[in-house]
Amino acid sequence: MERKTRLQQNAYPPQTQALATWIMQGLGGWSGYKSQKPFGITTLVRSLEQFKSTFFGWKLALGLLVCTP
């Protein structure tokens, strides 16, 4: 999720809850520009839905969700 400009790069050290929040902001569509409003609960809800869909697709691709009698 690392972007090109300095404002869009992660300012948090790894292994923190802030890093996870920063990644989720990117999944929710928040780009980090100053012209954009600060992220909020709506962005985090959107990012959780995106993560859930991606995780479901990953599990489906691995074959973990296939029923075999």
Side-chain angles (χ1 to χ4, degrees):
M1 296 296 299
E2 196 72 26
R3 304 281 170 81
K4 292 181 181 181
T5 64
R6 184 183 60 79
L7 290 174
Q8 292 179 324
Q9 291 177 354
N10 185 17
Y12 303 107
Q15 307 292 331
T16 63
Q17 186 177 12
L19 177 62
T21 306
W22 182 77
I23 291 171
M24 294 304 280
Q25 292 166 8
L27 285 175
W30 189 72
S31 64
Y33 287 115
K34 287 189 177 186
S35 61
Q36 202 174 17
K37 294 190 301 186
F39 70 95
I41 192 72
T42 307
T43 305
L44 290 176
V45 168
R46 260 191 260 136
S47 65
L48 285 173
E49 287 295 320
Q50 177 69 28
F51 179 77
K52 187 169 73 170
S53 298
T54 304
F55 186 69
F56 181 76
W58 176 70
K59 285 175 64 175
L60 191 62
L62 290 177
L64 300 175
L65 298 177
V66 177
C67 289
T68 55

